[in-house]
Amino acid sequence: MKVITGKFLTASTVGSEGENFELADSDVREDTRMVKRNARRGAVVAVLLGALALSACASSGGSSSDPESCTPAPKGEKVTLSLSTWIPNFQETVDLWNSEHPDIQVDYTEVTQGNQGTYQTYLNQIKAGKTADLGYFDYDVLPTFRIADGLRNLYKCAGVADAQDKFIKSAWTATTFGQDKSIYGLGLDFTPEGLFYRADLFKQAGIPVPTTWDEYYQAAKAVRATGGYIANLPSWGTFWPTNWMQAGKKWFELDGDTWKVNIATDENKQIADRLQQLVDEKLVTTYPLFQDEYSKALNDGVIWSQLGGPWGFRLIPSSAADTAGNWSLTKMPVIDGSTSIASWGGAAMGVFKNSAHPYEAAEFALWATTDPKALALNSSRGGIFPPIKDVVSQVPEMQATNPFFGDQAVFKEMNSWAEDVNPEWLWGPTMVQVNADLESEMAKALSGQQTIFDALKVVQGNTVDAIKSQGLSVTQ
């Protein structure tokens, strides 16, 4: 077994500040397989939406302004909670809780990533009325489970509402769906988007690292003149909404019980045109992300940068091991005059509506997402970035330097712009369908069969139909 060694904090392995680590190549392969499996997300969509349509209590998500009461178990009663996630090494966080809370024990199960079967299992359990107490949900699919009436409003549970000021605003609003007195999950993993770039190549070529999208276009032309490509645009569905999120646009709005879909508006066309220009002028590659051709181009120095969240700390080294020490990280480019960026990925812990102990489940979720000891374990052992304001000052382990990225303190760097993630962005109620349609339509756009804006028009129509099929009110 090949073992990669070093002295840094990676995105889901290892050690605290200054500790050596060993990252088995089997771990890297598993991460890469996870990414590749995400590319097959569409395969589960029909089944998932079918299960959703059969949910007994479909809701617009707009009628929950009256949170349910939430009270603790009688004093002296022993409570056992059940929980599943796919966070690496999360058992260690659970073990810490169990050691400090003898009256509230958590029975933990590690499961496959949500789109690889866990979300389907969750929906089956919701239909059967036999869920666990707690689950783990990507921010963009959380509305799907809200509509399936599977999640508990935690607003009145265990001091959750009082914790709002601890969380980065965009991570909090992503779990409230823009509703007052509502909170359907607590953010555990956050992914403020940055620009990972080959510092050595930009320096050797004398090309400034772009800080705005106008500069990015100029840099892309300069990089191409050297024979390289500034970046890779993948068809991967979850990549595309981030371009509009960081630009302060809205794909979805919720007015009372009515959803409004704004994916392919004239206002949003300018973002599509900017991306189309990069494709038309062949300034970017269009490989499937983190698959063989992409990884070879990254490792050979053909691709000079990659947008991404904390997952890049692990996946870029696994794809481009020969380039160790030559990478750096900075804030993603922004629109001129704006500081707003996007979040690509991330997940929250939610409490299932059928939980017999929602108060205690919320108490655990709040501890797991805010307690400094839990945050340290989640970061150092699980490789995740918590959506807590100024988290690196609370968790010294997150100030570790990373030799792959030129001994840069990458979590500290990311922390400096984490609160710039657009807090106004609202995920739609059928994002599993949206992401699958984006992937198939953007693949056509990137191969020249249609434009990126034409792809958005198809996704817009399909999304309106999908929302209607759930019995929800929708306009466009």
Side-chain angles (χ1 to χ4, degrees):
M1 177 179 70
K2 179 183 176 183
V3 175
I4 304 169
T5 60
K7 190 176 183 180
F8 63 94
L9 195 66
T10 71
S12 56
T13 2
V14 286
S16 57
E17 182 178 9
E19 291 180 346
N20 291 320
F21 76 91
E22 289 188 347
L23 178 60
D25 63 346
S26 59
D27 293 335
V28 172
R29 287 197 301 271
E30 177 55 31
D31 261 12
T32 305
R33 284 195 293 269
M34 181 183 73
V35 172
K36 291 178 178 178
R37 288 194 296 265
N38 267 337
R40 299 194 294 271
R41 193 177 200 177
V44 302
V45 171
V47 176
L48 193 57
L49 287 178
L52 177 60
L54 291 173
S55 293
C57 301
S59 162
S60 67
S63 58
S64 57
S65 58
D66 296 325
E68 304 157 88
S69 63
C70 189
T71 56
K75 188 175 181 180
E77 179 179 327
K78 304 287 187 182
V79 172
T80 299
L81 304 170
S82 52
L83 158 71
S84 63
T85 82
W86 50 90
I87 302 169
N89 304 305
F90 196 68
Q91 181 68 59
E92 294 184 36
T93 303
V94 171
D95 289 344
L96 176 61
W97 164 274
N98 285 340
S99 69
E100 295 181 348
H101 300 81
D103 291 340
I104 306 173
Q105 295 289 284
V106 176
D107 184 8
Y108 176 64
T109 303
E110 184 168 328
V111 292
T112 59
Q113 200 273 342
N115 294 301
Q116 306 313 314
T118 294
Y119 288 151
Q120 183 61 60
T121 299
Y122 283 172
L123 284 168
N124 291 342
Q125 292 170 345
I126 290 169
K127 287 168 57 182
K130 297 180 178 178
T131 65
D133 294 287
L134 294 127
Y136 194 52
F137 309 87
D138 288 308
Y139 293 115
D140 60 344
V141 303
L142 202 61
T144 298
F145 286 90
R146 168 71 189 101
I147 290 170
D149 203 27
L151 296 175
R152 177 74 183 227
N153 185 352
L154 305 179
Y155 187 80
K156 289 189 175 179
C157 295
V160 166
D162 295 334
Q164 178 174 352
D165 289 343
K166 295 182 179 179
F167 286 82
I168 290 173
K169 185 176 181 181
S170 59
W172 185 266
T173 56
T175 60
T176 66
F177 314 133
Q179 298 174 300
D180 293 333
K181 298 182 180 180
S182 296
I183 179 77
Y184 289 91
L186 289 167
L188 202 154
D189 188 15
F190 194 50
T191 54
E193 208 168 354
L195 181 70
F196 298 92
Y197 66 95
R198 283 289 300 272
D200 58 330
L201 297 180
F202 274 93
K203 183 178 180 179
Q204 291 166 16
I207 301 172
V209 177
T211 60
T212 69
W213 288 113
D214 289 343
E215 293 176 2
Y216 188 89
Y217 173 63
Q218 297 303 322
K221 292 194 294 184
V223 171
R224 191 70 195 99
T226 72
Y229 294 88
I230 193 168
N232 180 73
L233 290 190
S235 60
W236 215 5
T238 57
F239 162 71
W240 293 93
T242 65
N243 294 281
W244 285 263
M245 180 195 298
Q246 69 91 37
K249 308 299 183 183
K250 295 179 180 178
W251 276 18
F252 296 93
E253 295 177 84
L254 184 59
D255 182 8
D257 289 340
T258 299
W259 288 91
K260 185 177 182 182
V261 181
N262 305 312
I263 296 173
T265 63
D266 290 342
E267 182 183 5
N268 286 340
K269 186 174 184 299
Q270 58 183 302
I271 307 300
D273 290 345
R274 169 169 58 79
L275 296 165
Q276 187 70 50
Q277 186 178 37
L278 296 173
V279 175
D280 289 346
E281 297 182 21
K282 302 186 186 313
L283 301 179
V284 292
T285 59
T286 56
Y287 301 127
L289 200 58
F290 292 114
Q291 298 197 34
D292 292 345
E293 285 182 302
Y294 169 85
S295 295
K296 185 176 188 307
L298 205 65
N299 200 45
D300 291 347
V302 175
I303 298 173
W304 287 27
S305 72
Q306 171 66 54
L307 291 169
W311 44 264
F313 301 147
R314 184 177 175 95
L315 294 179
I316 291 175
S318 73
S319 293
D322 295 343
T323 63
N326 294 327
W327 288 82
S328 191
L329 171 67
T330 191
K331 183 178 179 178
M332 73 178 297
V334 297
I335 301 292
D336 274 331
S338 170
T339 60
S340 178
I341 63 169
S343 175
W344 183 3
M349 185 172 290
V351 176
F352 287 106
K353 193 168 187 177
N354 286 331
S355 171
H357 299 288
Y359 186 95
E360 287 76 15
E363 188 176 0
F364 171 79
L366 186 59
W367 174 87
T369 54
T370 61
D371 185 276
K373 296 191 297 295
L375 297 180
L377 280 174
N378 297 344
S379 178
S380 63
R381 305 301 293 160
I384 62 178
F385 185 92
I388 298 298
K389 294 176 181 176
D390 196 21
V391 67
V392 296
S393 68
Q394 304 177 49
V395 184
E397 290 86 344
M398 296 186 70
Q399 300 175 22
T401 58
N402 186 325
F404 188 91
F405 295 94
D407 286 327
Q408 189 177 18
V410 287
F411 275 132
K412 188 175 181 181
E413 177 71 18
M414 190 161 280
N415 184 69
S416 69
W417 66 71
E419 293 191 53
D420 290 337
V421 174
N422 176 10
E424 304 300 326
W425 181 266
L426 180 65
W427 292 108
T430 60
M431 285 308 300
V432 179
Q433 162 265 317
V434 172
N435 289 333
D437 283 340
L438 281 170
E439 182 161 338
S440 61
E441 295 304 319
M442 289 304 176
K444 296 175 187 174
L446 295 177
S447 63
Q449 299 177 56
Q450 63 183 354
T451 68
I452 290 172
F453 190 63
D454 286 340
L456 293 184
K457 290 178 181 176
V458 175
V459 176
Q460 165 101 11
N462 290 350
T463 301
V464 170
D465 291 344
I467 295 174
K468 285 180 180 176
S469 74
Q470 305 306 315
L472 306 179
S473 176
V474 59
T475 65
Q476 55 182 322

